Amino acid sequence: MIADCGMKAFPTEALTHSPITATLHLIKEHGLKAEDVKEVYIESIARAADILSDPSKYDPQSKETADHSLPWCIAAALADGMVTPQQFKEERLHDQRIRSQLNKVKVVANEDFEKAFPEKQCTNVTITTTAGKKHSHRIDVPKGDPRDPMTEDEIAVKFNALGKGVVGEEKCNELRVLIMSMEEEESLGRLFALMTT
C-alpha cells in the first residue's frame, strides 16, 4: 500500500492537478513563455469547470482563493513555469505577470471525462500561441498519482520550495540529499541532528 500512495505534486486543490500537469508538460515540451501564449483551453470534469473556474477565481484576493482557482494555477504555470508555494504568497497575489495571464484561461466541462471520474482525472489542454499554433496534451492521471509518480527532480523542487524558508537553502539541500538516500545511513542520528540544529 505504501508504494501505491500518491504524492501531491502541487500545493493546490486536488482537481487542479491534472490541468496543471498537462499545462506544464506543454510549456516544457514546446519551450513556451507566457508572452507566446494567446489562450489555454482546458477540457476537464464539471467540478473543475464549475467550482474552480467561477468568476471569483479569475480575481483571487487570498491564498485560499488562489490555490482553489484553476485560472490562477494555470496563470502561475505560464508566468513562472512552475506551481509551488511561492506562487501563492501574499505579495504574488497582485503580481501583474501572473494576473495578466488569467483571462487567457478558458475551462469547459467534458462529458466523457466526467464519466471516467473518479477512477481517472482526465484533462485535455490546448495552448494556442500568439503565432497561431495549437499544442494539445491529454492526461488521465495527475502528476504524483501512483500511475505517474513524481521524479526525484520534481520532488526536489517541492522539497526546496517548502523547506528553504524554514531551515535555509544550504541545510535544505543537505536534508534532501540525506532523505533521498536514507537507506545508506546506519542510523537516524544525522537526520535528527540536521533537523534540530
Side-chain angles (χ1 to χ4, degrees), residues 171-189:
K171 190 181 279 189
C172 185
N173 286 330
E174 195 175 347
L175 270 167
R176 189 188 74 250
V177 171
L178 172 65
I179 291 167
M180 294 306 287
S181 59
M182 186 66 75
E183 67 278 7
E184 297 171 13
E185 295 292 311
E186 292 182 6
S187 75
L188 297 176

Side-chain angles (χ1 to χ4, degrees), residues 28 59 92-93 101 119 159 169-170 178 180 189:
K28 185 176 180 181
D59 186 26
R92 295 304 304 280
L93 293 179
Q101 310 308 312
E119 183 182 339
F159 188 86
E169 187 169 4
E170 186 177 332
L178 172 65
M180 294 306 287

